[in-house]
Structures are given as C-alpha cells and as structure tokens.
mmCIF file of all heavy atoms in Angstrom:
data_model
loop_
_atom_site.group_PDB
_atom_site.id
_atom_site.type_symbol
_atom_site.label_atom_id
_atom_site.label_comp_id
_atom_site.label_asym_id
_atom_site.label_seq_id
_atom_site.Cartn_x
_atom_site.Cartn_y
_atom_site.Cartn_z
ATOM 1 N N MET A 16 -119.781 -27.992 179.854
ATOM 2 C CA MET A 16 -119.051 -28.682 178.798
ATOM 3 C C MET A 16 -117.943 -27.772 178.263
ATOM 4 O O MET A 16 -118.104 -26.565 178.175
ATOM 5 C CB MET A 16 -119.977 -29.047 177.648
ATOM 6 C CG MET A 16 -120.941 -30.133 177.949
ATOM 7 S SD MET A 16 -120.205 -31.691 177.532
ATOM 8 C CE MET A 16 -121.520 -32.760 177.979
ATOM 9 N N THR A 17 -116.872 -28.392 177.866
ATOM 10 C CA THR A 17 -115.744 -27.698 177.272
ATOM 11 C C THR A 17 -115.578 -28.193 175.850
ATOM 12 O O THR A 17 -115.708 -29.393 175.589
ATOM 13 C CB THR A 17 -114.455 -27.996 178.065
ATOM 14 O OG1 THR A 17 -114.630 -27.539 179.411
ATOM 15 C CG2 THR A 17 -113.258 -27.309 177.459
ATOM 16 N N ALA A 18 -115.285 -27.313 174.907
ATOM 17 C CA ALA A 18 -115.036 -27.710 173.520
ATOM 18 C C ALA A 18 -113.548 -27.557 173.234
ATOM 19 O O ALA A 18 -112.922 -26.567 173.607
ATOM 20 C CB ALA A 18 -115.841 -26.864 172.561
ATOM 21 N N VAL A 19 -112.978 -28.572 172.587
ATOM 22 C CA VAL A 19 -111.566 -28.585 172.207
ATOM 23 C C VAL A 19 -111.515 -28.865 170.713
ATOM 24 O O VAL A 19 -112.152 -29.794 170.228
ATOM 25 C CB VAL A 19 -110.795 -29.679 172.983
ATOM 26 C CG1 VAL A 19 -109.343 -29.708 172.555
ATOM 27 C CG2 VAL A 19 -110.912 -29.455 174.481
ATOM 28 N N ARG A 20 -110.755 -28.048 169.969
ATOM 29 C CA ARG A 20 -110.663 -28.215 168.523
ATOM 30 C C ARG A 20 -109.214 -28.478 168.126
ATOM 31 O O ARG A 20 -108.295 -27.858 168.647
ATOM 32 C CB ARG A 20 -111.163 -26.958 167.826
ATOM 33 C CG ARG A 20 -111.188 -27.079 166.318
ATOM 34 C CD ARG A 20 -111.760 -25.851 165.697
ATOM 35 N NE ARG A 20 -110.799 -24.759 165.839
ATOM 36 C CZ ARG A 20 -110.971 -23.559 165.321
ATOM 37 N NH1 ARG A 20 -112.074 -23.277 164.669
ATOM 38 N NH2 ARG A 20 -110.070 -22.626 165.476
ATOM 39 N N GLY A 21 -109.017 -29.430 167.210
ATOM 40 C CA GLY A 21 -107.679 -29.735 166.741
ATOM 41 C C GLY A 21 -107.730 -30.541 165.457
ATOM 42 O O GLY A 21 -108.799 -30.816 164.918
ATOM 43 N N THR A 22 -106.552 -30.939 164.984
ATOM 44 C CA THR A 22 -106.430 -31.714 163.752
ATOM 45 C C THR A 22 -105.836 -33.078 164.079
ATOM 46 O O THR A 22 -104.813 -33.155 164.770
ATOM 47 C CB THR A 22 -105.523 -30.992 162.742
ATOM 48 O OG1 THR A 22 -106.074 -29.689 162.506
ATOM 49 C CG2 THR A 22 -105.436 -31.742 161.432
ATOM 50 N N VAL A 23 -106.467 -34.130 163.586
ATOM 51 C CA VAL A 23 -105.966 -35.491 163.822
ATOM 52 C C VAL A 23 -104.650 -35.659 163.069
ATOM 53 O O VAL A 23 -104.570 -35.435 161.864
ATOM 54 C CB VAL A 23 -106.996 -36.552 163.367
ATOM 55 C CG1 VAL A 23 -106.437 -37.953 163.563
ATOM 56 C CG2 VAL A 23 -108.311 -36.384 164.115
ATOM 57 N N SER A 24 -103.610 -36.046 163.792
ATOM 58 C CA SER A 24 -102.287 -36.220 163.192
ATOM 59 C C SER A 24 -101.900 -37.682 163.035
ATOM 60 O O SER A 24 -101.029 -38.002 162.232
ATOM 61 C CB SER A 24 -101.226 -35.504 164.030
ATOM 62 O OG SER A 24 -101.201 -36.042 165.346
ATOM 63 N N ALA A 25 -102.541 -38.574 163.799
ATOM 64 C CA ALA A 25 -102.203 -40.004 163.731
ATOM 65 C C ALA A 25 -103.323 -40.817 164.356
ATOM 66 O O ALA A 25 -104.070 -40.313 165.200
ATOM 67 C CB ALA A 25 -100.896 -40.283 164.477
ATOM 68 N N THR A 26 -103.431 -42.063 163.922
ATOM 69 C CA THR A 26 -104.347 -43.004 164.557
ATOM 70 C C THR A 26 -103.552 -44.235 164.971
ATOM 71 O O THR A 26 -102.539 -44.570 164.355
ATOM 72 C CB THR A 26 -105.495 -43.431 163.623
ATOM 73 O OG1 THR A 26 -104.948 -44.064 162.472
ATOM 74 C CG2 THR A 26 -106.334 -42.237 163.194
ATOM 75 N N PHE A 27 -103.999 -44.901 166.003
ATOM 76 C CA PHE A 27 -103.319 -46.073 166.527
ATOM 77 C C PHE A 27 -104.323 -47.206 166.693
ATOM 78 O O PHE A 27 -105.527 -46.967 166.797
ATOM 79 C CB PHE A 27 -102.653 -45.743 167.866
ATOM 80 C CG PHE A 27 -101.695 -44.587 167.774
ATOM 81 C CD1 PHE A 27 -102.112 -43.298 168.076
ATOM 82 C CD2 PHE A 27 -100.397 -44.779 167.352
ATOM 83 C CE1 PHE A 27 -101.248 -42.223 167.979
ATOM 84 C CE2 PHE A 27 -99.510 -43.714 167.254
ATOM 85 C CZ PHE A 27 -99.937 -42.435 167.561
ATOM 86 N N ASP A 28 -103.845 -48.437 166.721
ATOM 87 C CA ASP A 28 -104.711 -49.612 166.764
ATOM 88 C C ASP A 28 -105.495 -49.761 168.058
ATOM 89 O O ASP A 28 -106.474 -50.483 168.104
ATOM 90 C CB ASP A 28 -103.893 -50.892 166.538
ATOM 91 C CG ASP A 28 -103.336 -50.972 165.133
ATOM 92 O OD1 ASP A 28 -103.940 -50.378 164.211
ATOM 93 O OD2 ASP A 28 -102.309 -51.631 164.948
ATOM 94 N N ASP A 29 -105.087 -49.094 169.111
ATOM 95 C CA ASP A 29 -105.732 -49.273 170.418
ATOM 96 C C ASP A 29 -106.748 -48.171 170.736
ATOM 97 O O ASP A 29 -106.903 -47.764 171.873
ATOM 98 C CB ASP A 29 -104.680 -49.368 171.513
ATOM 99 C CG ASP A 29 -103.737 -48.173 171.534
ATOM 100 O OD1 ASP A 29 -103.822 -47.311 170.631
ATOM 101 O OD2 ASP A 29 -102.914 -48.097 172.453
ATOM 102 N N GLU A 30 -107.459 -47.681 169.704
ATOM 103 C CA GLU A 30 -108.494 -46.661 169.856
ATOM 104 C C GLU A 30 -107.946 -45.361 170.429
ATOM 105 O O GLU A 30 -108.594 -44.678 171.223
ATOM 106 C CB GLU A 30 -109.679 -47.190 170.659
ATOM 107 C CG GLU A 30 -110.348 -48.362 169.989
ATOM 108 C CD GLU A 30 -111.508 -48.936 170.775
ATOM 109 O OE1 GLU A 30 -111.747 -48.504 171.913
ATOM 110 O OE2 GLU A 30 -112.179 -49.819 170.232
ATOM 111 N N VAL A 31 -106.733 -45.004 170.008
ATOM 112 C CA VAL A 31 -106.094 -43.760 170.405
ATOM 113 C C VAL A 31 -105.799 -42.966 169.140
ATOM 114 O O VAL A 31 -105.424 -43.535 168.119
ATOM 115 C CB VAL A 31 -104.793 -44.033 171.191
ATOM 116 C CG1 VAL A 31 -104.012 -42.754 171.443
ATOM 117 C CG2 VAL A 31 -105.108 -44.720 172.517
ATOM 118 N N ILE A 32 -106.008 -41.645 169.218
ATOM 119 C CA ILE A 32 -105.631 -40.772 168.112
ATOM 120 C C ILE A 32 -104.685 -39.702 168.630
ATOM 121 O O ILE A 32 -104.712 -39.345 169.807
ATOM 122 C CB ILE A 32 -106.854 -40.117 167.431
ATOM 123 C CG1 ILE A 32 -107.655 -39.249 168.402
ATOM 124 C CG2 ILE A 32 -107.724 -41.158 166.757
ATOM 125 C CD1 ILE A 32 -108.767 -38.435 167.753
ATOM 126 N N GLY A 33 -103.841 -39.215 167.750
ATOM 127 C CA GLY A 33 -103.009 -38.059 168.033
ATOM 128 C C GLY A 33 -103.690 -36.844 167.452
ATOM 129 O O GLY A 33 -104.184 -36.873 166.325
ATOM 130 N N VAL A 34 -103.757 -35.768 168.222
ATOM 131 C CA VAL A 34 -104.405 -34.543 167.782
ATOM 132 C C VAL A 34 -103.476 -33.371 168.070
ATOM 133 O O VAL A 34 -102.876 -33.293 169.144
ATOM 134 C CB VAL A 34 -105.753 -34.339 168.513
ATOM 135 C CG1 VAL A 34 -106.408 -33.040 168.092
ATOM 136 C CG2 VAL A 34 -106.696 -35.502 168.259
ATOM 137 N N ILE A 35 -103.362 -32.469 167.099
ATOM 138 C CA ILE A 35 -102.612 -31.235 167.305
ATOM 139 C C ILE A 35 -103.614 -30.172 167.741
ATOM 140 O O ILE A 35 -104.560 -29.858 167.025
ATOM 141 C CB ILE A 35 -101.900 -30.790 166.005
ATOM 142 C CG1 ILE A 35 -100.970 -31.891 165.495
ATOM 143 C CG2 ILE A 35 -101.152 -29.478 166.234
ATOM 144 C CD1 ILE A 35 -99.854 -32.277 166.424
ATOM 145 N N ILE A 36 -103.409 -29.658 168.951
ATOM 146 C CA ILE A 36 -104.272 -28.618 169.510
ATOM 147 C C ILE A 36 -103.364 -27.424 169.801
ATOM 148 O O ILE A 36 -102.504 -27.506 170.684
ATOM 149 C CB ILE A 36 -104.977 -29.097 170.792
ATOM 150 C CG1 ILE A 36 -105.857 -30.311 170.487
ATOM 151 C CG2 ILE A 36 -105.791 -27.966 171.409
ATOM 152 C CD1 ILE A 36 -106.443 -30.980 171.713
ATOM 153 N N GLY A 37 -103.548 -26.358 169.053
ATOM 154 C CA GLY A 37 -102.641 -25.222 169.177
ATOM 155 C C GLY A 37 -101.244 -25.679 168.788
ATOM 156 O O GLY A 37 -101.050 -26.255 167.734
ATOM 157 N N GLY A 38 -100.278 -25.505 169.655
ATOM 158 C CA GLY A 38 -98.925 -25.963 169.400
ATOM 159 C C GLY A 38 -98.582 -27.256 170.103
ATOM 160 O O GLY A 38 -97.423 -27.647 170.158
ATOM 161 N N ALA A 39 -99.578 -27.942 170.648
ATOM 162 C CA ALA A 39 -99.326 -29.150 171.432
ATOM 163 C C ALA A 39 -99.837 -30.395 170.713
ATOM 164 O O ALA A 39 -100.866 -30.365 170.047
ATOM 165 C CB ALA A 39 -100.002 -29.039 172.791
ATOM 166 N N ALA A 40 -99.116 -31.486 170.881
ATOM 167 C CA ALA A 40 -99.553 -32.794 170.394
ATOM 168 C C ALA A 40 -100.155 -33.545 171.578
ATOM 169 O O ALA A 40 -99.538 -33.655 172.635
ATOM 170 C CB ALA A 40 -98.384 -33.574 169.817
ATOM 171 N N VAL A 41 -101.374 -34.039 171.398
ATOM 172 C CA VAL A 41 -102.104 -34.692 172.467
ATOM 173 C C VAL A 41 -102.605 -36.040 171.974
ATOM 174 O O VAL A 41 -103.001 -36.166 170.817
ATOM 175 C CB VAL A 41 -103.321 -33.819 172.892
ATOM 176 C CG1 VAL A 41 -104.132 -34.474 173.969
ATOM 177 C CG2 VAL A 41 -102.864 -32.440 173.311
ATOM 178 N N GLN A 42 -102.551 -37.053 172.819
ATOM 179 C CA GLN A 42 -103.155 -38.342 172.491
ATOM 180 C C GLN A 42 -104.487 -38.449 173.215
ATOM 181 O O GLN A 42 -104.591 -38.120 174.396
ATOM 182 C CB GLN A 42 -102.252 -39.498 172.910
ATOM 183 C CG GLN A 42 -101.036 -39.638 172.040
ATOM 184 C CD GLN A 42 -100.250 -40.886 172.388
ATOM 185 O OE1 GLN A 42 -100.278 -41.369 173.509
ATOM 186 N NE2 GLN A 42 -99.557 -41.402 171.406
ATOM 187 N N LEU A 43 -105.509 -38.891 172.478
ATOM 188 C CA LEU A 43 -106.837 -39.039 173.047
ATOM 189 C C LEU A 43 -107.286 -40.479 172.922
ATOM 190 O O LEU A 43 -107.151 -41.093 171.859
ATOM 191 C CB LEU A 43 -107.834 -38.141 172.314
ATOM 192 C CG LEU A 43 -107.540 -36.646 172.330
ATOM 193 C CD1 LEU A 43 -108.509 -35.920 171.417
ATOM 194 C CD2 LEU A 43 -107.625 -36.106 173.740
ATOM 195 N N GLU A 44 -107.811 -41.026 173.998
ATOM 196 C CA GLU A 44 -108.367 -42.378 173.991
ATOM 197 C C GLU A 44 -109.845 -42.280 173.633
ATOM 198 O O GLU A 44 -110.595 -41.510 174.234
ATOM 199 C CB GLU A 44 -108.199 -43.021 175.362
ATOM 200 C CG GLU A 44 -108.652 -44.454 175.398
ATOM 201 C CD GLU A 44 -108.403 -45.099 176.755
ATOM 202 O OE1 GLU A 44 -107.797 -44.456 177.636
ATOM 203 O OE2 GLU A 44 -108.834 -46.245 176.923
ATOM 204 N N LEU A 45 -110.267 -43.064 172.651
ATOM 205 C CA LEU A 45 -111.643 -43.043 172.171
ATOM 206 C C LEU A 45 -112.429 -44.227 172.714
ATOM 207 O O LEU A 45 -111.853 -45.201 173.197
ATOM 208 C CB LEU A 45 -111.662 -43.086 170.638
ATOM 209 C CG LEU A 45 -110.833 -42.023 169.920
ATOM 210 C CD1 LEU A 45 -110.880 -42.250 168.415
ATOM 211 C CD2 LEU A 45 -111.317 -40.635 170.268
ATOM 212 N N ASP A 46 -113.738 -44.157 172.585
ATOM 213 C CA ASP A 46 -114.608 -45.267 172.977
ATOM 214 C C ASP A 46 -114.797 -46.273 171.845
ATOM 215 O O ASP A 46 -115.361 -47.349 172.058
ATOM 216 C CB ASP A 46 -115.984 -44.751 173.401
ATOM 217 C CG ASP A 46 -115.928 -43.960 174.700
ATOM 218 O OD1 ASP A 46 -115.028 -44.232 175.512
ATOM 219 O OD2 ASP A 46 -116.770 -43.076 174.893
ATOM 220 N N ALA A 47 -114.361 -45.924 170.641
ATOM 221 C CA ALA A 47 -114.503 -46.784 169.460
ATOM 222 C C ALA A 47 -113.340 -46.492 168.521
ATOM 223 O O ALA A 47 -112.681 -45.462 168.655
ATOM 224 C CB ALA A 47 -115.829 -46.497 168.764
ATOM 225 N N PRO A 48 -113.059 -47.382 167.584
ATOM 226 C CA PRO A 48 -111.964 -47.124 166.639
ATOM 227 C C PRO A 48 -112.250 -45.870 165.800
ATOM 228 O O PRO A 48 -113.399 -45.614 165.432
ATOM 229 C CB PRO A 48 -111.954 -48.369 165.745
ATOM 230 C CG PRO A 48 -112.680 -49.415 166.507
ATOM 231 C CD PRO A 48 -113.673 -48.692 167.367
ATOM 232 N N PRO A 49 -111.214 -45.104 165.479
ATOM 233 C CA PRO A 49 -111.412 -43.932 164.623
ATOM 234 C C PRO A 49 -111.666 -44.391 163.183
ATOM 235 O O PRO A 49 -111.267 -45.493 162.797
ATOM 236 C CB PRO A 49 -110.085 -43.179 164.734
ATOM 237 C CG PRO A 49 -109.089 -44.230 165.072
ATOM 238 C CD PRO A 49 -109.826 -45.235 165.910
ATOM 239 N N PRO A 50 -112.295 -43.547 162.364
ATOM 240 C CA PRO A 50 -112.484 -43.918 160.962
ATOM 241 C C PRO A 50 -111.141 -44.003 160.251
ATOM 242 O O PRO A 50 -110.184 -43.333 160.650
ATOM 243 C CB PRO A 50 -113.341 -42.793 160.397
ATOM 244 C CG PRO A 50 -113.238 -41.673 161.360
ATOM 245 C CD PRO A 50 -112.864 -42.255 162.683
ATOM 246 N N PRO A 51 -111.042 -44.811 159.213
ATOM 247 C CA PRO A 51 -109.757 -44.999 158.533
ATOM 248 C C PRO A 51 -109.212 -43.729 157.880
ATOM 249 O O PRO A 51 -108.010 -43.622 157.672
ATOM 250 C CB PRO A 51 -110.044 -46.068 157.479
ATOM 251 C CG PRO A 51 -111.507 -46.217 157.415
ATOM 252 C CD PRO A 51 -112.094 -45.635 158.663
ATOM 253 N N ASP A 52 -110.050 -42.772 157.577
ATOM 254 C CA ASP A 52 -109.598 -41.530 156.934
ATOM 255 C C ASP A 52 -109.533 -40.357 157.912
ATOM 256 O O ASP A 52 -109.655 -39.205 157.531
ATOM 257 C CB ASP A 52 -110.517 -41.189 155.764
ATOM 258 C CG ASP A 52 -111.963 -40.956 156.195
ATOM 259 O OD1 ASP A 52 -112.323 -41.335 157.325
ATOM 260 O OD2 ASP A 52 -112.728 -40.394 155.401
ATOM 261 N N ALA A 53 -109.297 -40.632 159.190
ATOM 262 C CA ALA A 53 -109.333 -39.594 160.230
ATOM 263 C C ALA A 53 -108.160 -38.623 160.164
ATOM 264 O O ALA A 53 -108.314 -37.449 160.508
ATOM 265 C CB ALA A 53 -109.389 -40.240 161.611
ATOM 266 N N VAL A 54 -106.980 -39.078 159.727
ATOM 267 C CA VAL A 54 -105.791 -38.217 159.732
ATOM 268 C C VAL A 54 -106.025 -37.011 158.820
ATOM 269 O O VAL A 54 -106.461 -37.158 157.680
ATOM 270 C CB VAL A 54 -104.537 -38.998 159.301
ATOM 271 C CG1 VAL A 54 -103.340 -38.070 159.157
ATOM 272 C CG2 VAL A 54 -104.229 -40.092 160.312
ATOM 273 N N GLY A 55 -105.760 -35.831 159.359
ATOM 274 C CA GLY A 55 -105.945 -34.587 158.624
ATOM 275 C C GLY A 55 -107.291 -33.925 158.869
ATOM 276 O O GLY A 55 -107.482 -32.768 158.509
ATOM 277 N N ARG A 56 -108.211 -34.639 159.480
ATOM 278 C CA ARG A 56 -109.534 -34.076 159.753
ATOM 279 C C ARG A 56 -109.494 -33.112 160.929
ATOM 280 O O ARG A 56 -108.788 -33.334 161.908
ATOM 281 C CB ARG A 56 -110.539 -35.166 160.102
ATOM 282 C CG ARG A 56 -111.064 -35.926 158.952
ATOM 283 C CD ARG A 56 -112.152 -36.831 159.443
ATOM 284 N NE ARG A 56 -112.805 -37.543 158.357
ATOM 285 C CZ ARG A 56 -113.905 -38.243 158.505
ATOM 286 N NH1 ARG A 56 -114.474 -38.350 159.692
ATOM 287 N NH2 ARG A 56 -114.440 -38.856 157.482
ATOM 288 N N LEU A 57 -110.284 -32.054 160.821
ATOM 289 C CA LEU A 57 -110.506 -31.158 161.941
ATOM 290 C C LEU A 57 -111.540 -31.817 162.838
ATOM 291 O O LEU A 57 -112.566 -32.304 162.353
ATOM 292 C CB LEU A 57 -111.025 -29.807 161.455
ATOM 293 C CG LEU A 57 -111.353 -28.787 162.533
ATOM 294 C CD1 LEU A 57 -110.094 -28.366 163.272
ATOM 295 C CD2 LEU A 57 -112.043 -27.589 161.922
ATOM 296 N N VAL A 58 -111.267 -31.856 164.130
ATOM 297 C CA VAL A 58 -112.210 -32.446 165.079
ATOM 298 C C VAL A 58 -112.545 -31.430 166.158
ATOM 299 O O VAL A 58 -111.719 -30.617 166.542
ATOM 300 C CB VAL A 58 -111.663 -33.745 165.728
ATOM 301 C CG1 VAL A 58 -111.528 -34.847 164.707
ATOM 302 C CG2 VAL A 58 -110.326 -33.509 166.408
ATOM 303 N N VAL A 59 -113.778 -31.467 166.592
ATOM 304 C CA VAL A 59 -114.225 -30.667 167.721
ATOM 305 C C VAL A 59 -114.767 -31.641 168.749
ATOM 306 O O VAL A 59 -115.669 -32.422 168.456
ATOM 307 C CB VAL A 59 -115.306 -29.647 167.320
ATOM 308 C CG1 VAL A 59 -115.786 -28.880 168.541
ATOM 309 C CG2 VAL A 59 -114.767 -28.697 166.261
ATOM 310 N N LEU A 60 -114.185 -31.622 169.909
ATOM 311 C CA LEU A 60 -114.564 -32.545 170.964
ATOM 312 C C LEU A 60 -115.264 -31.775 172.072
ATOM 313 O O LEU A 60 -114.794 -30.725 172.493
ATOM 314 C CB LEU A 60 -113.316 -33.223 171.540
ATOM 315 C CG LEU A 60 -112.370 -33.840 170.525
ATOM 316 C CD1 LEU A 60 -111.042 -34.122 171.167
ATOM 317 C CD2 LEU A 60 -112.983 -35.091 169.950
ATOM 318 N N THR A 61 -116.381 -32.292 172.515
ATOM 319 C CA THR A 61 -117.010 -31.729 173.710
ATOM 320 C C THR A 61 -116.787 -32.723 174.829
ATOM 321 O O THR A 61 -117.019 -33.925 174.672
ATOM 322 C CB THR A 61 -118.514 -31.473 173.498
ATOM 323 O OG1 THR A 61 -119.136 -32.665 173.075
ATOM 324 C CG2 THR A 61 -118.737 -30.388 172.469
ATOM 325 N N VAL A 62 -116.276 -32.227 175.914
ATOM 326 C CA VAL A 62 -115.897 -33.105 177.015
ATOM 327 C C VAL A 62 -116.440 -32.561 178.322
ATOM 328 O O VAL A 62 -116.610 -31.363 178.494
ATOM 329 C CB VAL A 62 -114.362 -33.246 177.104
ATOM 330 C CG1 VAL A 62 -113.820 -33.968 175.896
ATOM 331 C CG2 VAL A 62 -113.694 -31.898 177.233
ATOM 332 N N ASP A 63 -116.720 -33.474 179.238
ATOM 333 C CA ASP A 63 -117.147 -33.037 180.563
ATOM 334 C C ASP A 63 -116.159 -33.449 181.641
ATOM 335 O O ASP A 63 -116.316 -33.104 182.788
ATOM 336 C CB ASP A 63 -118.557 -33.541 180.879
ATOM 337 C CG ASP A 63 -118.680 -35.046 180.820
ATOM 338 O OD1 ASP A 63 -117.674 -35.732 180.594
ATOM 339 O OD2 ASP A 63 -119.795 -35.545 181.001
ATOM 340 N N ASP A 64 -115.112 -34.203 181.253
ATOM 341 C CA ASP A 64 -114.112 -34.634 182.220
ATOM 342 C C ASP A 64 -112.788 -34.829 181.498
ATOM 343 O O ASP A 64 -112.687 -35.690 180.631
ATOM 344 C CB ASP A 64 -114.552 -35.938 182.885
ATOM 345 C CG ASP A 64 -113.598 -36.384 183.976
ATOM 346 O OD1 ASP A 64 -112.892 -35.528 184.543
ATOM 347 O OD2 ASP A 64 -113.544 -37.586 184.248
ATOM 348 N N LEU A 65 -111.808 -34.015 181.796
ATOM 349 C CA LEU A 65 -110.486 -34.131 181.173
ATOM 350 C C LEU A 65 -109.477 -34.632 182.192
ATOM 351 O O LEU A 65 -109.492 -34.221 183.348
ATOM 352 C CB LEU A 65 -110.011 -32.768 180.659
ATOM 353 C CG LEU A 65 -110.732 -32.161 179.473
ATOM 354 C CD1 LEU A 65 -110.213 -30.742 179.243
ATOM 355 C CD2 LEU A 65 -110.530 -33.007 178.248
ATOM 356 N N GLU A 66 -108.584 -35.526 181.745
ATOM 357 C CA GLU A 66 -107.459 -35.963 182.558
ATOM 358 C C GLU A 66 -106.196 -35.736 181.742
ATOM 359 O O GLU A 66 -106.113 -36.170 180.604
ATOM 360 C CB GLU A 66 -107.579 -37.456 182.885
ATOM 361 C CG GLU A 66 -108.704 -37.790 183.812
ATOM 362 C CD GLU A 66 -108.735 -39.268 184.151
ATOM 363 O OE1 GLU A 66 -107.664 -39.900 184.210
ATOM 364 O OE2 GLU A 66 -109.833 -39.802 184.331
ATOM 365 N N PHE A 67 -105.222 -35.045 182.315
ATOM 366 C CA PHE A 67 -103.980 -34.783 181.641
ATOM 367 C C PHE A 67 -102.877 -35.622 182.271
ATOM 368 O O PHE A 67 -102.770 -35.701 183.498
ATOM 369 C CB PHE A 67 -103.623 -33.290 181.748
ATOM 370 C CG PHE A 67 -104.571 -32.412 180.997
ATOM 371 C CD1 PHE A 67 -105.629 -31.788 181.640
ATOM 372 C CD2 PHE A 67 -104.408 -32.194 179.640
ATOM 373 C CE1 PHE A 67 -106.511 -30.977 180.957
ATOM 374 C CE2 PHE A 67 -105.270 -31.379 178.937
ATOM 375 C CZ PHE A 67 -106.330 -30.777 179.603
ATOM 376 N N HIS A 68 -102.069 -36.231 181.416
ATOM 377 C CA HIS A 68 -100.955 -37.069 181.862
ATOM 378 C C HIS A 68 -99.697 -36.568 181.145
ATOM 379 O O HIS A 68 -99.336 -37.099 180.100
ATOM 380 C CB HIS A 68 -101.213 -38.546 181.555
ATOM 381 C CG HIS A 68 -102.472 -39.049 182.171
ATOM 382 N ND1 HIS A 68 -102.531 -39.475 183.474
ATOM 383 C CD2 HIS A 68 -103.730 -39.168 181.689
ATOM 384 C CE1 HIS A 68 -103.766 -39.857 183.760
ATOM 385 N NE2 HIS A 68 -104.508 -39.669 182.692
ATOM 386 N N PRO A 69 -99.037 -35.545 181.654
ATOM 387 C CA PRO A 69 -97.864 -34.996 180.971
ATOM 388 C C PRO A 69 -96.734 -36.006 180.888
ATOM 389 O O PRO A 69 -96.530 -36.809 181.798
ATOM 390 C CB PRO A 69 -97.470 -33.793 181.833
ATOM 391 C CG PRO A 69 -98.257 -33.888 183.088
ATOM 392 C CD PRO A 69 -99.331 -34.893 182.910
ATOM 393 N N THR A 70 -96.043 -35.966 179.763
ATOM 394 C CA THR A 70 -94.933 -36.904 179.555
ATOM 395 C C THR A 70 -93.574 -36.237 179.774
ATOM 396 O O THR A 70 -92.577 -36.923 179.859
ATOM 397 C CB THR A 70 -94.962 -37.456 178.120
ATOM 398 O OG1 THR A 70 -94.786 -36.381 177.205
ATOM 399 C CG2 THR A 70 -96.258 -38.174 177.851
ATOM 400 N N GLY A 71 -93.541 -34.922 179.798
ATOM 401 C CA GLY A 71 -92.276 -34.231 179.964
ATOM 402 C C GLY A 71 -91.476 -34.123 178.682
ATOM 403 O O GLY A 71 -90.316 -33.746 178.701
ATOM 404 N N LEU A 72 -92.094 -34.432 177.554
ATOM 405 C CA LEU A 72 -91.391 -34.320 176.275
ATOM 406 C C LEU A 72 -91.434 -32.919 175.748
ATOM 407 O O LEU A 72 -92.315 -32.191 175.915
ATOM 408 C CB LEU A 72 -92.003 -35.260 175.232
ATOM 409 C CG LEU A 72 -91.881 -36.741 175.560
ATOM 410 C CD1 LEU A 72 -92.610 -37.552 174.485
ATOM 411 C CD2 LEU A 72 -90.435 -37.154 175.612
#
C-alpha cells in the first residue's frame, strides 16, 4: 500500500475532488460523493493502484 497526503482544494458534482499534493494539483475520482465541508481538509489516502493521466498543464 502507498499513502498519499494532501489538502482538498475543490469538490465537483461527479464524485471528483481536487487535492494539492506537494506542489501539484491532482484530481481524484471517488467511489462516493465527498462531504460538503471537504475543502481545506487534510486527507490521507491509502491506495493499491494508481493511474496517472497527465494533462500537460
């Protein structure tokens, strides 16, 4: 397992959140809607499978 820590910067209606990890902004797809007060929260994610889709931004 890998642990990733960041701060939620935005939430979206399609079960996606924006997270700042280090100096990078990352969008994460969730299995359920995020809580309404998620923005600003520190999150620690444990993952067993990561897929990266760079946008070139």
Side-chain angles (χ1 to χ4, degrees):
M16 289 270 180
T17 300
V19 178
R20 184 177 71 176
T22 303
V23 178
S24 60
T26 60
F27 304 94
D28 293 333
D29 55 354
E30 299 179 354
V31 172
I32 61 173
V34 178
I35 303 299
I36 299 172
V41 178
Q42 288 186 333
L43 301 173
E44 185 177 355
L45 306 176
D46 292 332
D52 61 344
V54 174
R56 282 187 175 190
L57 178 66
V58 293
V59 177
L60 310 164
T61 55
V62 294
D63 58 3
D64 184 25
L65 291 173
E66 291 183 32
F67 293 97
H68 303 277
T70 62
L72 296 176

